Amino acid sequence: MAERAGLAAPLCSEQFGSRAARGCCAAADGRLQWEAWGGLSEAFKAKPEGRDGGAGGTPGPASPRASRLLAVFLPQGFPESVSPDYLPYQLWDSVQAFASSLSGSLATHAVLLGIGVGNAQASVSAATATWLVKDSTGMLGRIVFAWWKGSKLDCNAKQWRLFADILNDVAMFLEIMAPMDSIGFTVIICISNLAKCIVSVAGGATRAALTMHQARRNNMADVSAKDSSQETLVNLAGLLISLLLLPLVSDSPSFNLGCFFLLTALHIYANYRAVRALVIETLNEGRLWLVLKHFLQRGEVLDPTSANQMEPLWTGFWPSLSLSLGVPLHRLISSSGHRGSLDNATKDTQEGGLPGQLQKVAKRWDRCVRSEGEYFKGG
């Protein structure tokens, strides 16, 4: 309390979500002093260029050098300005990006070798034609895939993110194997580039959806920019390692393939851990199906964390939901898994009528949701 004695009236306050607001006061020596989220306070020197005086997130005893380093790679206001799953997702995403960077170097080396780089008998015109056909195939594939699946990438961002990275590994495997078949080389790299263009569409669209999920203070641009900085740093590290790795594998195809399989295993595992770390608080078809099924079977509403952990991570592994208007009640609950609910509904209907039963179900759902203390948002 003595600390507050030398402070003037609060200049402003900020509040995030359901947390209590924290205030900012001017100390006697002219410094700005923010209250920490826990109620304590930390003083710091105001920075005129900062939107909130340079406070960023929760004040702490970090050194100026560490604070500057964090400001380069983390969004302003971290961790309060992003979702709780931001840090575990970004850590695993960095691991998968590093493995993908090394695998990409091996694949690029194989493609250049197949085109004829370093071969005196290779034709420049033939190499150029092969490259143009490869790019044209990828451009057409990009347009078709965006038209075909573009509307599904938002709601199933985790599934398509994992699909894109696995497809990228398949594409790089084709590129590594392409030089072994000189006759079908052009066809193979065209298929590979087609897959990579699909990856770019799916990966870019799902990255935008996940950025929207992670940004909690209307800071999508900042979160996206810092994600790009993190990826650039990881790719730079992968480039340096590739410079050391390529001379070792250039003369040994078997060692090259072994390194690729090892990096691919790491890449897929890191991607799986990354998307599993996400706790998306909106309902897509898969999560809605899980929530409704769990409620009908146990009378409880799944919290977002449990629903995300139970959600399948491969597209097409959950039943597609269809809406039908005017369907009789007996058809809605005629499946074998819900016959118990139908029997209970029949008994309660005899006691209080169908409207009374529906009212009981509605009250039960509302009571379960309130007891969880967390709400899913439809999306």
Side-chain angles (χ1 to χ4, degrees):
M1 299 300 294
E3 183 181 326
R4 298 292 300 254
L7 300 178
L11 299 176
C12 60
S13 63
E14 71 170 343
Q15 183 177 9
F16 172 62
S18 59
R19 284 187 168 188
R22 66 168 183 170
C24 177
C25 303
D29 57 359
R31 294 182 300 166
L32 293 179
Q33 192 166 17
W34 281 90
E35 291 181 348
W37 294 110
L40 304 176
S41 59
E42 294 285 346
F44 63 166
K45 294 182 179 180
K47 296 181 180 180
E49 69 274 12
R51 186 177 62 182
D52 58 356
T58 303
S63 64
R65 182 177 300 177
S67 299
R68 286 194 294 268
L69 183 63
L70 292 177
V72 172
F73 295 106
L74 293 176
Q76 184 182 18
F78 175 84
E80 284 81 17
S81 62
V82 293
S83 60
D85 56 15
Y86 176 83
L87 188 58
Y89 174 81
Q90 292 300 127
L91 289 175
W92 284 110
D93 187 60
S94 298
V95 174
Q96 70 86 18
F98 179 75
S100 180
S101 177
L102 295 179
S103 300
S105 299
L106 299 178
T108 302
H109 174 267
V111 170
L112 294 177
L113 183 64
I115 288 178
V117 175
N119 185 359
Q121 298 179 352
S123 170
V124 177
S125 300
T128 304
T130 300
W131 202 269
L132 292 178
V133 171
K134 174 181 74 73
D135 288 348
S136 301
T137 305
M139 292 175 186
L140 292 176
R142 187 194 301 266
I143 295 173
V144 172
F145 180 77
W147 162 77
W148 182 35
K149 290 294 184 181
S151 61
K152 298 292 184 180
L153 301 178
D154 253 332
C155 54
N156 296 322
K158 293 194 295 184
Q159 288 78 9
W160 284 110
R161 181 74 177 180
L162 185 61
F163 168 82
D165 285 300
I166 294 177
L167 184 61
N168 189 48
D169 290 331
V170 174
M172 289 189 291
F173 175 73
L174 291 176
E175 290 179 343
I176 290 178
M177 300 300 293
M180 301 179 183
D181 185 5
S182 57
I183 299 177
F185 175 79
T186 302
V187 175
I188 293 176
I189 65 169
C190 285
I191 296 174
S192 171
N193 197 61
L194 174 63
K196 283 193 170 184
C197 287
I198 293 176
V199 169
S200 67
V201 174
T206 54
R207 179 64 257 183
L210 296 180
T211 300
M212 184 169 60
H213 157 70
Q214 292 174 336
R216 295 302 173 91
R217 291 188 177 178
N218 295 324
N219 57 341
M220 278 189 61
D222 187 26
V223 173
S224 179
K226 297 305 169 56
D227 177 71
S228 178
S229 297
Q230 296 169 20
E231 187 173 358
T232 301
L233 178 65
V234 172
N235 288 335
L236 179 60
L239 178 63
L240 297 177
I241 300 299
S242 297
L243 293 176
L244 302 176
L245 180 63
L246 287 177
L248 301 177
V249 302
S250 57
D251 297 329
S252 178
S254 59
F255 184 56
N256 185 6
L257 204 57
C259 291
F260 173 77
F261 284 137
L262 180 62
L263 292 171
T264 299
L266 176 62
H267 180 240
I268 294 176
Y269 175 74
N271 268 293
Y272 174 81
R273 292 297 301 269
V275 295
R276 265 299 176 219
L278 290 169
V279 180
I280 299 179
E281 298 166 345
T282 56
L283 287 173
N284 61 2
E285 288 187 2
R287 290 189 288 274
L288 176 61
W289 182 77
L290 289 171
V291 170
L292 293 178
K293 179 182 178 182
H294 187 83
F295 176 76
L296 290 174
Q297 291 179 347
R298 302 187 182 182
E300 301 172 351
V301 177
L302 280 175
D303 60 277
T305 302
S306 300
N308 278 268
Q309 290 297 318
M310 296 169 61
E311 181 184 10
L313 291 181
W314 192 252
T315 55
F317 273 23
W318 57 87
S320 180
L321 299 180
S322 60
L323 295 178
S324 300
L325 301 179
V327 177
L329 179 62
H330 68 84
R331 287 183 56 188
L332 294 177
I333 46 180
S334 60
S335 62
S336 59
H338 302 147
R339 292 194 183 278
S341 300
L342 179 60
D343 294 339
N344 294 333
T346 304
K347 294 179 181 178
D348 292 339
T349 301
Q350 293 174 354
E351 297 176 1
L354 182 58
Q357 167 63 13
L358 296 178
Q359 186 176 13
K360 290 179 182 179
V361 172
K363 289 182 178 179
R364 185 181 180 189
W365 173 272
D366 183 66
R367 185 167 58 252
C368 291
V369 172
R370 291 179 182 276
S371 65
E372 291 293 336
E374 293 183 89
Y375 288 85
F376 269 113
K377 300 169 286 184

mmCIF file of all heavy atoms in Angstrom, residues 228-261:
data_model
loop_
_atom_site.group_PDB
_atom_site.id
_atom_site.type_symbol
_atom_site.label_atom_id
_atom_site.label_comp_id
_atom_site.label_asym_id
_atom_site.label_seq_id
_atom_site.Cartn_x
_atom_site.Cartn_y
_atom_site.Cartn_z
ATOM 1 N N SER A 228 6.136 -15.039 -39.044
ATOM 2 C CA SER A 228 7.036 -15.007 -40.199
ATOM 3 C C SER A 228 8.486 -14.833 -39.760
ATOM 4 O O SER A 228 9.393 -15.450 -40.326
ATOM 5 C CB SER A 228 6.621 -13.875 -41.137
ATOM 6 O OG SER A 228 7.492 -13.782 -42.238
ATOM 7 N N SER A 229 8.712 -14.018 -38.726
ATOM 8 C CA SER A 229 10.074 -13.833 -38.216
ATOM 9 C C SER A 229 10.623 -15.117 -37.612
ATOM 10 O O SER A 229 11.783 -15.473 -37.833
ATOM 11 C CB SER A 229 10.084 -12.709 -37.173
ATOM 12 O OG SER A 229 9.714 -11.477 -37.742
ATOM 13 N N GLN A 230 9.787 -15.813 -36.852
ATOM 14 C CA GLN A 230 10.215 -17.087 -36.277
ATOM 15 C C GLN A 230 10.551 -18.095 -37.375
ATOM 16 O O GLN A 230 11.573 -18.793 -37.302
ATOM 17 C CB GLN A 230 9.106 -17.636 -35.375
ATOM 18 C CG GLN A 230 8.791 -16.776 -34.168
ATOM 19 C CD GLN A 230 7.521 -17.218 -33.467
ATOM 20 O OE1 GLN A 230 7.060 -18.334 -33.624
ATOM 21 N NE2 GLN A 230 6.931 -16.324 -32.692
ATOM 22 N N GLU A 231 9.702 -18.171 -38.397
ATOM 23 C CA GLU A 231 9.939 -19.121 -39.482
ATOM 24 C C GLU A 231 11.203 -18.763 -40.263
ATOM 25 O O GLU A 231 11.954 -19.646 -40.689
ATOM 26 C CB GLU A 231 8.731 -19.154 -40.410
ATOM 27 C CG GLU A 231 8.807 -20.236 -41.473
ATOM 28 C CD GLU A 231 7.521 -20.364 -42.267
ATOM 29 O OE1 GLU A 231 6.554 -19.638 -41.958
ATOM 30 O OE2 GLU A 231 7.486 -21.187 -43.196
ATOM 31 N N THR A 232 11.440 -17.461 -40.445
ATOM 32 C CA THR A 232 12.647 -17.031 -41.150
ATOM 33 C C THR A 232 13.900 -17.421 -40.381
ATOM 34 O O THR A 232 14.892 -17.889 -40.967
ATOM 35 C CB THR A 232 12.613 -15.515 -41.373
ATOM 36 O OG1 THR A 232 11.455 -15.165 -42.134
ATOM 37 C CG2 THR A 232 13.856 -15.052 -42.122
ATOM 38 N N LEU A 233 13.870 -17.252 -39.065
ATOM 39 C CA LEU A 233 15.019 -17.635 -38.246
ATOM 40 C C LEU A 233 15.269 -19.140 -38.331
ATOM 41 O O LEU A 233 16.424 -19.588 -38.462
ATOM 42 C CB LEU A 233 14.779 -17.218 -36.796
ATOM 43 C CG LEU A 233 15.870 -17.591 -35.798
ATOM 44 C CD1 LEU A 233 17.171 -16.859 -36.120
ATOM 45 C CD2 LEU A 233 15.434 -17.296 -34.360
ATOM 46 N N VAL A 234 14.195 -19.921 -38.269
ATOM 47 C CA VAL A 234 14.336 -21.380 -38.351
ATOM 48 C C VAL A 234 14.868 -21.784 -39.717
ATOM 49 O O VAL A 234 15.749 -22.651 -39.830
ATOM 50 C CB VAL A 234 12.985 -22.051 -38.048
ATOM 51 C CG1 VAL A 234 13.057 -23.549 -38.330
ATOM 52 C CG2 VAL A 234 12.586 -21.826 -36.593
ATOM 53 N N ASN A 235 14.354 -21.172 -40.772
ATOM 54 C CA ASN A 235 14.826 -21.497 -42.119
ATOM 55 C C ASN A 235 16.285 -21.098 -42.321
ATOM 56 O O ASN A 235 17.029 -21.771 -43.047
ATOM 57 C CB ASN A 235 13.943 -20.814 -43.159
ATOM 58 C CG ASN A 235 12.568 -21.439 -43.254
ATOM 59 O OD1 ASN A 235 12.378 -22.610 -42.920
ATOM 60 N ND2 ASN A 235 11.593 -20.671 -43.705
ATOM 61 N N LEU A 236 16.693 -19.999 -41.696
ATOM 62 C CA LEU A 236 18.099 -19.601 -41.780
ATOM 63 C C LEU A 236 18.993 -20.634 -41.112
ATOM 64 O O LEU A 236 20.055 -20.998 -41.649
ATOM 65 C CB LEU A 236 18.281 -18.224 -41.131
ATOM 66 C CG LEU A 236 19.701 -17.660 -41.112
ATOM 67 C CD1 LEU A 236 20.237 -17.498 -42.525
ATOM 68 C CD2 LEU A 236 19.739 -16.328 -40.363
ATOM 69 N N ALA A 237 18.562 -21.121 -39.941
ATOM 70 C CA ALA A 237 19.326 -22.182 -39.279
ATOM 71 C C ALA A 237 19.351 -23.444 -40.127
ATOM 72 O O ALA A 237 20.387 -24.111 -40.253
ATOM 73 C CB ALA A 237 18.723 -22.472 -37.901
ATOM 74 N N GLY A 238 18.208 -23.780 -40.747
ATOM 75 C CA GLY A 238 18.176 -24.944 -41.629
ATOM 76 C C GLY A 238 19.073 -24.782 -42.839
ATOM 77 O O GLY A 238 19.699 -25.751 -43.292
ATOM 78 N N LEU A 239 19.179 -23.554 -43.363
ATOM 79 C CA LEU A 239 20.061 -23.301 -44.501
ATOM 80 C C LEU A 239 21.526 -23.526 -44.138
ATOM 81 O O LEU A 239 22.291 -24.134 -44.906
ATOM 82 C CB LEU A 239 19.844 -21.868 -44.994
ATOM 83 C CG LEU A 239 20.726 -21.398 -46.156
ATOM 84 C CD1 LEU A 239 20.448 -22.234 -47.397
ATOM 85 C CD2 LEU A 239 20.484 -19.920 -46.437
ATOM 86 N N LEU A 240 21.891 -23.066 -42.971
ATOM 87 C CA LEU A 240 23.282 -23.249 -42.543
ATOM 88 C C LEU A 240 23.615 -24.729 -42.338
ATOM 89 O O LEU A 240 24.697 -25.192 -42.721
ATOM 90 C CB LEU A 240 23.531 -22.462 -41.253
ATOM 91 C CG LEU A 240 23.387 -20.941 -41.356
ATOM 92 C CD1 LEU A 240 23.588 -20.288 -39.999
ATOM 93 C CD2 LEU A 240 24.375 -20.371 -42.375
ATOM 94 N N ILE A 241 22.680 -25.467 -41.751
ATOM 95 C CA ILE A 241 22.901 -26.903 -41.570
ATOM 96 C C ILE A 241 22.936 -27.623 -42.916
ATOM 97 O O ILE A 241 23.703 -28.567 -43.129
ATOM 98 C CB ILE A 241 21.818 -27.505 -40.661
ATOM 99 C CG1 ILE A 241 21.851 -26.836 -39.278
ATOM 100 C CG2 ILE A 241 21.999 -29.005 -40.507
ATOM 101 C CD1 ILE A 241 23.148 -27.016 -38.538
ATOM 102 N N SER A 242 22.104 -27.156 -43.856
ATOM 103 C CA SER A 242 22.075 -27.782 -45.185
ATOM 104 C C SER A 242 23.405 -27.630 -45.901
ATOM 105 O O SER A 242 23.823 -28.530 -46.646
ATOM 106 C CB SER A 242 20.958 -27.162 -46.023
ATOM 107 O OG SER A 242 19.694 -27.405 -45.440
ATOM 108 N N LEU A 243 24.068 -26.487 -45.709
ATOM 109 C CA LEU A 243 25.379 -26.287 -46.339
ATOM 110 C C LEU A 243 26.395 -27.321 -45.866
ATOM 111 O O LEU A 243 27.318 -27.688 -46.606
ATOM 112 C CB LEU A 243 25.881 -24.874 -46.048
ATOM 113 C CG LEU A 243 25.079 -23.730 -46.683
ATOM 114 C CD1 LEU A 243 25.634 -22.384 -46.235
ATOM 115 C CD2 LEU A 243 25.106 -23.841 -48.199
ATOM 116 N N LEU A 244 26.222 -27.782 -44.638
ATOM 117 C CA LEU A 244 27.113 -28.829 -44.121
ATOM 118 C C LEU A 244 26.643 -30.222 -44.507
ATOM 119 O O LEU A 244 27.456 -31.144 -44.640
ATOM 120 C CB LEU A 244 27.193 -28.718 -42.591
ATOM 121 C CG LEU A 244 27.685 -27.383 -42.024
ATOM 122 C CD1 LEU A 244 27.606 -27.399 -40.500
ATOM 123 C CD2 LEU A 244 29.107 -27.088 -42.489
ATOM 124 N N LEU A 245 25.328 -30.389 -44.688
ATOM 125 C CA LEU A 245 24.769 -31.715 -44.945
ATOM 126 C C LEU A 245 24.897 -32.134 -46.401
ATOM 127 O O LEU A 245 25.184 -33.303 -46.695
ATOM 128 C CB LEU A 245 23.300 -31.730 -44.516
ATOM 129 C CG LEU A 245 22.530 -33.039 -44.697
ATOM 130 C CD1 LEU A 245 23.136 -34.141 -43.833
ATOM 131 C CD2 LEU A 245 21.052 -32.842 -44.360
ATOM 132 N N LEU A 246 24.683 -31.204 -47.337
ATOM 133 C CA LEU A 246 24.649 -31.564 -48.756
ATOM 134 C C LEU A 246 25.947 -32.194 -49.266
ATOM 135 O O LEU A 246 25.891 -33.160 -50.038
ATOM 136 C CB LEU A 246 24.288 -30.333 -49.590
ATOM 137 C CG LEU A 246 22.828 -29.883 -49.498
ATOM 138 C CD1 LEU A 246 22.602 -28.615 -50.306
ATOM 139 C CD2 LEU A 246 21.891 -30.988 -49.972
ATOM 140 N N PRO A 247 27.132 -31.705 -48.894
ATOM 141 C CA PRO A 247 28.349 -32.388 -49.369
ATOM 142 C C PRO A 247 28.458 -33.838 -48.901
ATOM 143 O O PRO A 247 29.101 -34.659 -49.562
ATOM 144 C CB PRO A 247 29.484 -31.534 -48.787
ATOM 145 C CG PRO A 247 28.883 -30.192 -48.578
ATOM 146 C CD PRO A 247 27.469 -30.460 -48.183
ATOM 147 N N LEU A 248 27.813 -34.165 -47.781
ATOM 148 C CA LEU A 248 27.887 -35.527 -47.259
ATOM 149 C C LEU A 248 26.968 -36.488 -48.004
ATOM 150 O O LEU A 248 27.263 -37.684 -48.081
ATOM 151 C CB LEU A 248 27.533 -35.531 -45.768
ATOM 152 C CG LEU A 248 28.415 -34.656 -44.852
ATOM 153 C CD1 LEU A 248 27.892 -34.703 -43.425
ATOM 154 C CD2 LEU A 248 29.871 -35.121 -44.903
ATOM 155 N N VAL A 249 25.862 -35.973 -48.531
ATOM 156 C CA VAL A 249 24.870 -36.852 -49.147
ATOM 157 C C VAL A 249 24.923 -36.817 -50.672
ATOM 158 O O VAL A 249 24.253 -37.619 -51.328
ATOM 159 C CB VAL A 249 23.449 -36.469 -48.681
ATOM 160 C CG1 VAL A 249 23.334 -36.538 -47.174
ATOM 161 C CG2 VAL A 249 23.061 -35.079 -49.174
ATOM 162 N N SER A 250 25.678 -35.892 -51.266
ATOM 163 C CA SER A 250 25.655 -35.736 -52.722
ATOM 164 C C SER A 250 26.187 -36.969 -53.450
ATOM 165 O O SER A 250 25.738 -37.282 -54.550
ATOM 166 C CB SER A 250 26.471 -34.501 -53.126
ATOM 167 O OG SER A 250 27.805 -34.613 -52.642
ATOM 168 N N ASP A 251 27.126 -37.683 -52.841
ATOM 169 C CA ASP A 251 27.720 -38.848 -53.491
ATOM 170 C C ASP A 251 27.174 -40.171 -52.973
ATOM 171 O O ASP A 251 27.674 -41.230 -53.328
ATOM 172 C CB ASP A 251 29.245 -38.833 -53.306
ATOM 173 C CG ASP A 251 29.885 -37.623 -53.973
ATOM 174 O OD1 ASP A 251 29.337 -37.164 -55.001
ATOM 175 O OD2 ASP A 251 30.901 -37.121 -53.455
ATOM 176 N N SER A 252 26.159 -40.104 -52.121
ATOM 177 C CA SER A 252 25.611 -41.326 -51.538
ATOM 178 C C SER A 252 24.086 -41.265 -51.546
ATOM 179 O O SER A 252 23.475 -40.717 -50.613
ATOM 180 C CB SER A 252 26.133 -41.509 -50.097
ATOM 181 O OG SER A 252 25.575 -42.665 -49.512
ATOM 182 N N PRO A 253 23.435 -41.780 -52.590
ATOM 183 C CA PRO A 253 21.964 -41.744 -52.659
ATOM 184 C C PRO A 253 21.291 -42.447 -51.492
ATOM 185 O O PRO A 253 20.239 -41.998 -51.017
ATOM 186 C CB PRO A 253 21.656 -42.442 -53.992
ATOM 187 C CG PRO A 253 22.908 -42.302 -54.797
ATOM 188 C CD PRO A 253 24.031 -42.354 -53.812
ATOM 189 N N SER A 254 21.884 -43.543 -51.038
ATOM 190 C CA SER A 254 21.253 -44.263 -49.927
ATOM 191 C C SER A 254 21.299 -43.438 -48.644
ATOM 192 O O SER A 254 20.318 -43.395 -47.884
ATOM 193 C CB SER A 254 21.959 -45.608 -49.717
ATOM 194 O OG SER A 254 23.338 -45.418 -49.445
ATOM 195 N N PHE A 255 22.421 -42.771 -48.384
ATOM 196 C CA PHE A 255 22.521 -41.917 -47.206
ATOM 197 C C PHE A 255 21.574 -40.722 -47.328
ATOM 198 O O PHE A 255 20.969 -40.277 -46.341
ATOM 199 C CB PHE A 255 23.962 -41.452 -47.025
ATOM 200 C CG PHE A 255 24.189 -40.642 -45.780
ATOM 201 C CD1 PHE A 255 23.868 -41.138 -44.534
ATOM 202 C CD2 PHE A 255 24.738 -39.366 -45.852
ATOM 203 C CE1 PHE A 255 24.071 -40.402 -43.381
ATOM 204 C CE2 PHE A 255 24.945 -38.615 -44.717
ATOM 205 C CZ PHE A 255 24.620 -39.133 -43.473
ATOM 206 N N ASN A 256 21.455 -40.206 -48.542
ATOM 207 C CA ASN A 256 20.524 -39.106 -48.801
ATOM 208 C C ASN A 256 19.098 -39.518 -48.463
ATOM 209 O O ASN A 256 18.363 -38.795 -47.781
ATOM 210 C CB ASN A 256 20.637 -38.699 -50.278
ATOM 211 C CG ASN A 256 19.796 -37.480 -50.602
ATOM 212 O OD1 ASN A 256 19.199 -36.857 -49.743
ATOM 213 N ND2 ASN A 256 19.744 -37.136 -51.876
ATOM 214 N N LEU A 257 18.698 -40.706 -48.918
ATOM 215 C CA LEU A 257 17.347 -41.193 -48.652
ATOM 216 C C LEU A 257 17.129 -41.485 -47.173
ATOM 217 O O LEU A 257 16.051 -41.221 -46.620
ATOM 218 C CB LEU A 257 17.105 -42.453 -49.484
ATOM 219 C CG LEU A 257 15.648 -42.811 -49.812
ATOM 220 C CD1 LEU A 257 14.973 -41.667 -50.545
ATOM 221 C CD2 LEU A 257 15.599 -44.077 -50.645
ATOM 222 N N GLY A 258 18.160 -42.010 -46.509
ATOM 223 C CA GLY A 258 18.040 -42.269 -45.077
ATOM 224 C C GLY A 258 17.849 -40.990 -44.281
ATOM 225 O O GLY A 258 17.016 -40.934 -43.355
ATOM 226 N N CYS A 259 18.625 -39.957 -44.620
ATOM 227 C CA CYS A 259 18.460 -38.662 -43.948
ATOM 228 C C CYS A 259 17.074 -38.092 -44.192
ATOM 229 O O CYS A 259 16.450 -37.514 -43.280
ATOM 230 C CB CYS A 259 19.525 -37.680 -44.430
ATOM 231 S SG CYS A 259 21.204 -38.066 -43.892
ATOM 232 N N PHE A 260 16.583 -38.267 -45.417
ATOM 233 C CA PHE A 260 15.249 -37.742 -45.729
ATOM 234 C C PHE A 260 14.179 -38.436 -44.896
ATOM 235 O O PHE A 260 13.277 -37.781 -44.357
ATOM 236 C CB PHE A 260 14.962 -37.918 -47.217
ATOM 237 C CG PHE A 260 13.562 -37.552 -47.593
ATOM 238 C CD1 PHE A 260 13.182 -36.222 -47.712
ATOM 239 C CD2 PHE A 260 12.606 -38.538 -47.825
ATOM 240 C CE1 PHE A 260 11.882 -35.881 -48.048
ATOM 241 C CE2 PHE A 260 11.305 -38.196 -48.172
ATOM 242 C CZ PHE A 260 10.947 -36.869 -48.278
ATOM 243 N N PHE A 261 14.235 -39.754 -44.786
ATOM 244 C CA PHE A 261 13.236 -40.476 -43.995
ATOM 245 C C PHE A 261 13.299 -40.084 -42.523
ATOM 246 O O PHE A 261 12.267 -39.959 -41.851
ATOM 247 C CB PHE A 261 13.423 -41.980 -44.151
ATOM 248 C CG PHE A 261 12.936 -42.522 -45.462
ATOM 249 C CD1 PHE A 261 13.670 -43.454 -46.173
ATOM 250 C CD2 PHE A 261 11.733 -42.101 -45.988
ATOM 251 C CE1 PHE A 261 13.220 -43.944 -47.389
ATOM 252 C CE2 PHE A 261 11.261 -42.583 -47.201
ATOM 253 C CZ PHE A 261 12.019 -43.510 -47.902
#
